[in-house]
Amino acid sequence: MKLQVIKQRYFWWMVSAIAVIISLLAMIFSYTQFNAPLRPSIDFVGGTRLQLEQDCSIPNNCDNPLDIAQVREILAEQGFPEASIQVVGENRQGLSIRTKTLSVEERTNLQNALESALGEFDPQTAQIDTVGHTIGQELFTSGILALMVSFFGIIAYLSVRFRLDYAVFAIVALFHDSFLTAGVFSILGLVAGVEVDSLFLVALLTIIGFSVNDTVVIYDRIRETRKNEPEANMNQVVDDAVNQTLTRSINTTLTTVLPLLAILLFGGDTLKEFAFALIVGFILGAYSSIFLASTLLAWWEEREAIDH
């Protein structure tokens, strides 16, 4: 069975347009909540994050799940009413608190107040991270700069290797992949409290590299066919190129996604969101290369032929 990407291109364009609109709405709503299109971690905004877990080895210490309202009341009494609070863990026995930068004394007083009201916390699992505001801004600026440089570098490379129009549609596909991946995390930030950190920017850079590689393979096949058969119909050329490279695209995506799935299921907590971002981005990369970059190029060539 052969894919007929040209025949169904308007359907795929509509699917992508709907996904982009949903992502944009999620980012707008997220901005009203967190002053950012995605929920930022302390990597970007600075502050202190405390991750505490009740010590269930103590009898009766974990009988009841933690209550956010009670935690918020304690934080307000300590002078941190604006703190972000999340109850974590399968049995809701863990706390993740993010607030302004705290001194050692403030952290100690806060932890003592929480333990007095909620029970003892396990010192082995406690994590305290502090990032200065200036460092957070520098990390964010550096990450965005890296993304912009990668986009311009890809445009330059593809313009030399192919033509400018090839490069433009490849960038459209890359933007699509990056934007929808960000949209997924924007939604997760709203519904599940997922925060993005510097690893998320690394994931976006990796996604861009993977996606453009898939697109280049299809573009190479299109260019070869056009060179050997200059009178061939562009729509048919694109359909044939997609089908000829389809097995390779699927196999490449599967062989990269499966190890990432293993990391997501069995890896450490710090890598799970990174792995999930790559999974989403790699799948989108294969999708955009097949259904967007190629079909947009065929549409453009068709318009150029009509104009001339």
Side-chain angles (χ1 to χ4, degrees), residues 9-295:
R9 62 186 175 186
Y10 293 110
F11 170 76
W12 299 115
W13 294 354
M14 183 178 67
V15 169
S16 292
I18 292 172
V20 167
I21 291 170
I22 292 172
S23 297
L24 181 60
L25 291 175
M27 290 180 188
I28 292 172
F29 189 70
S30 178
Y31 195 87
T32 64
Q33 300 291 311
F34 315 118
N35 292 320
L38 287 81
R39 185 169 185 159
S41 73
I42 62 169
D43 281 10
F44 298 137
V45 296
T48 297
R49 178 172 56 199
L50 288 82
Q51 291 184 276
L52 306 169
E53 187 173 336
Q54 287 182 307
D55 189 350
C56 294
S57 64
I58 300 175
N60 305 320
N61 198 51
C62 298
D63 287 350
N64 299 311
L66 295 172
D67 182 7
I68 284 186
Q70 185 181 9
V71 175
R72 190 173 299 282
E73 185 177 337
I74 296 168
L75 287 166
E77 290 173 356
Q78 294 293 313
F80 313 115
E82 79 294 340
S84 170
I85 308 165
Q86 188 178 0
V87 176
V88 296
E90 293 182 5
N91 299 317
R92 297 176 63 82
Q93 305 296 342
L95 275 178
S96 179
I97 300 170
R98 191 182 74 191
T99 184
K100 66 180 183 180
T101 302
L102 304 179
S103 66
V104 175
E105 182 180 356
E106 287 174 324
R107 292 201 307 263
T108 302
N109 292 338
L110 176 58
Q111 188 167 345
N112 289 338
L114 290 169
E115 286 187 332
S116 297
L118 306 174
E120 295 291 324
F121 292 110
D122 185 355
Q124 300 298 322
T125 59
Q127 294 182 27
I128 300 174
D129 304 310
T130 299
V131 176
H133 179 74
T134 302
I135 294 176
Q137 289 296 319
E138 288 178 357
L139 281 172
F140 178 76
T141 303
S142 298
I144 296 299
L145 181 62
L147 285 172
M148 293 176 62
V149 168
S150 66
F151 272 108
F152 284 117
I154 289 169
I155 289 176
Y157 168 73
L158 292 179
S159 298
V160 172
R161 180 164 180 176
F162 299 102
R163 296 198 316 252
L164 181 60
D165 51 354
Y166 281 69
V168 168
F169 294 123
I171 289 297
V172 169
L174 294 182
F175 178 79
H176 167 273
D177 303 337
S178 305
F179 191 80
L180 291 192
T181 302
V184 169
F185 273 78
S186 181
I187 294 170
L188 290 175
L190 291 169
V191 302
V194 174
E195 298 176 343
V196 296
D197 54 17
S198 53
L199 273 180
F200 180 74
L201 294 178
V202 175
L204 288 183
L205 288 168
T206 309
I207 289 165
I208 289 170
F210 178 88
S211 179
V212 75
N213 178 64
D214 234 7
T215 303
V216 164
V217 170
I218 296 175
Y219 279 1
D220 256 334
R221 190 58 56 91
I222 293 172
R223 184 179 61 174
E224 289 173 9
T225 305
R226 293 282 283 172
K227 183 178 179 180
N228 296 329
E229 304 173 32
E231 301 302 321
N233 180 273
M234 185 59 176
N235 288 345
Q236 188 59 49
V237 169
V238 169
D239 263 342
D240 289 343
V242 167
N243 283 286
Q244 289 165 12
T245 58
L246 184 61
T247 301
R248 180 223 175 259
S249 297
I250 292 174
N251 288 341
T252 302
T253 303
L254 281 177
T255 53
T256 50
V257 165
L258 287 176
L260 291 170
L261 192 59
I263 294 173
L264 178 65
L265 296 175
F266 308 111
D269 289 340
T270 55
L271 291 177
K272 287 187 176 181
E273 290 168 9
F274 176 69
F276 181 68
L278 290 180
I279 290 171
V280 172
F282 286 178
I283 292 173
L284 286 170
Y287 165 84
S288 66
S289 298
I290 295 169
F291 298 109
L292 292 184
S294 58
T295 56

Side-chain angles (χ1 to χ4, degrees), residues 6 136 296:
I6 297 300
L296 285 169

